[in-house]
Amino acid sequence: MRKIKHIVEEIEEEIEGAEEYAEMHVEAKALGDVEMANRYKEMAEDELKHAMYLHEKAVSEINEISKTYHPPAEMEAAWKAAHKEYVEKASLIKQMLTL
């Protein structure tokens, strides 16, 4: 399960980066700097894509592990919380990028 924990940490890093770039996108757009706004948007989308790839990897790993091992309830709860946070933050970032 350490492997899953590490992947979750990587997802969090990618989401943080995406959020920062999305905020920069919104700020640049508000200042009328369309070129930089578009670049920050692209950078945020790249970070979101990385987070999605890592999320898919985590889900795949969990499914594979679940075939032979049933994790304790606390581990399942930790994954569900991390998954929920990922989905919510990714959705918020995507909304920011539509501004």
Side-chain angles (χ1 to χ4, degrees):
M1 294 313 278
R2 285 186 215 164
K3 189 174 191 178
I4 303 302
K5 182 179 178 185
H6 180 71
I7 295 170
V8 167
E9 290 168 354
E10 290 177 323
I11 292 169
E12 290 170 352
E13 288 176 21
E14 296 293 341
I15 289 291
E16 278 182 33
E19 189 172 27
E20 287 178 34
Y21 289 132
E23 289 171 358
M24 295 164 93
H25 159 75
V26 171
E27 184 178 340
K29 196 161 187 182
L31 294 172
D33 189 349
V34 176
E35 182 180 346
M36 283 310 299
N38 289 337
R39 287 186 181 173
Y40 287 132
K41 180 179 181 179
E42 183 180 329
M43 293 162 70
E45 290 170 340
D46 286 346
E47 296 291 306
L48 280 175
K49 183 171 48 173
H50 301 159
M52 180 189 65
Y53 293 157
L54 291 164
H55 179 263
E56 289 171 357
K57 179 178 175 142
V59 169
S60 175
E61 292 283 335
I62 289 168
N63 289 337
E64 193 61 34
I65 290 168
S66 295
K67 291 178 183 176
T68 58
Y69 171 76
H70 187 72
E74 60 207 28
M75 286 183 183
E76 287 183 6
W79 166 249
K80 285 181 183 179
H83 174 76
K84 181 180 178 189
E85 183 177 349
Y86 160 74
V87 170
E88 289 173 355
K89 283 191 173 186
S91 177
L92 174 64
I93 292 165
K94 288 176 184 177
Q95 288 176 3
M96 291 172 69
L97 296 176
T98 63
L99 298 175

